[in-house]
Amino acid sequence: ERLLDFNRLSQQEVFSLTAVPLTPLLLELLTEYRLALESKQIGVHLPSEPVSLQAESYRLRLILDNLFSNAVSYGAKGGQIWIRAGAGADGGWLEVANEGPSIPLAERERIFEPFEQGSIVRQGLLKGSGMGLSIARESAMSLGGELRLIDDKQADVCFRLDLKGSA
């Protein structure tokens, strides 16, 4: 499925940016990952205020899905996931952060390459393809944005998406 997403992205050149409300996308993710979240006893914290990001909904959904999937798969049992977002005149941002093993400094750029995975073992029945973060970064770039791993005082791992012109 990740390969199909990657292929679909590379062929879908023309699209328009619109204000995409995050709340419906986040509620879909919670429903989709409910069993995994319950199994690992992970708590999820959503933005307290509704936020819309200037994006293309399919690509934004891909980014969110890949980041949230990683947070659930690599997150600590009994840990927390924080999804934070905001928008201003110069653009919008979204963060997906979780408790769990930190990503070693030497791997922080390599994990965004296709078919690459870090040294931290993914928890769960399915092994990752190494495509998720690559797809998420390509999607971010296609939206004129940037996806990167940042340091966070609250969480062990935090991915941040910055988009221009969100409102």
Side-chain angles (χ1 to χ4, degrees):
E1 193 174 313
R2 300 273 191 228
L3 286 172
L4 290 173
D5 285 338
F6 193 72
N7 189 42
R8 194 175 301 131
L9 266 180
S10 64
Q11 294 178 11
Q12 188 184 31
E13 293 298 322
V14 179
F15 60 89
S16 59
L17 302 179
T18 59
V20 180
L22 282 180
T23 302
L25 295 177
L26 296 175
L27 294 177
E28 283 177 27
L29 283 176
L30 288 178
T31 300
E32 187 177 325
Y33 288 93
R34 182 181 59 83
L35 292 176
L37 291 166
E38 288 175 2
S39 166
K40 290 184 73 175
Q41 301 166 344
I42 294 175
V44 179
H45 306 274
L46 301 178
S48 56
E49 299 292 321
V51 175
S52 291
L53 297 177
Q54 200 67 21
E56 190 269 332
S57 61
Y58 175 76
R59 291 167 192 250
L60 184 58
R61 175 70 160 88
L62 269 180
I63 295 167
L64 271 170
D65 186 36
N66 282 300
L67 296 179
F68 195 74
S69 172
N70 279 355
V72 172
S73 297
Y74 292 98
K77 185 174 175 119
Q80 303 296 313
I81 294 174
W82 295 272
I83 300 177
R84 304 180 285 243
D90 59 343
W93 58 273
L94 168 77
E95 293 177 349
V96 178
N98 64 278
E99 294 177 317
S102 297
I103 298 170
L105 273 168
E107 297 176 8
R108 289 189 173 197
E109 270 309 304
R110 187 173 60 84
I111 59 172
F112 289 102
E113 296 298 320
F115 304 108
E116 289 290 334
Q117 293 181 309
S119 58
I120 298 167
V121 177
R122 181 183 179 108
Q123 299 170 12
L125 299 174
L126 299 176
K127 182 173 176 8
S129 65
M131 291 297 295
L133 289 175
S134 177
I135 290 169
R137 182 172 262 182
E138 286 292 322
S139 297
M141 291 180 352
S142 75
L143 296 172
E146 179 184 20
L147 178 64
R148 57 199 164 95
L149 184 62
I150 64 168
D151 291 326
D152 186 86
K153 291 180 181 174
Q154 188 174 31
D156 301 307
V157 176
C158 184
F159 288 93
R160 182 179 174 104
L161 170 67
D162 286 298
L163 296 171
K164 302 289 182 229
S166 292

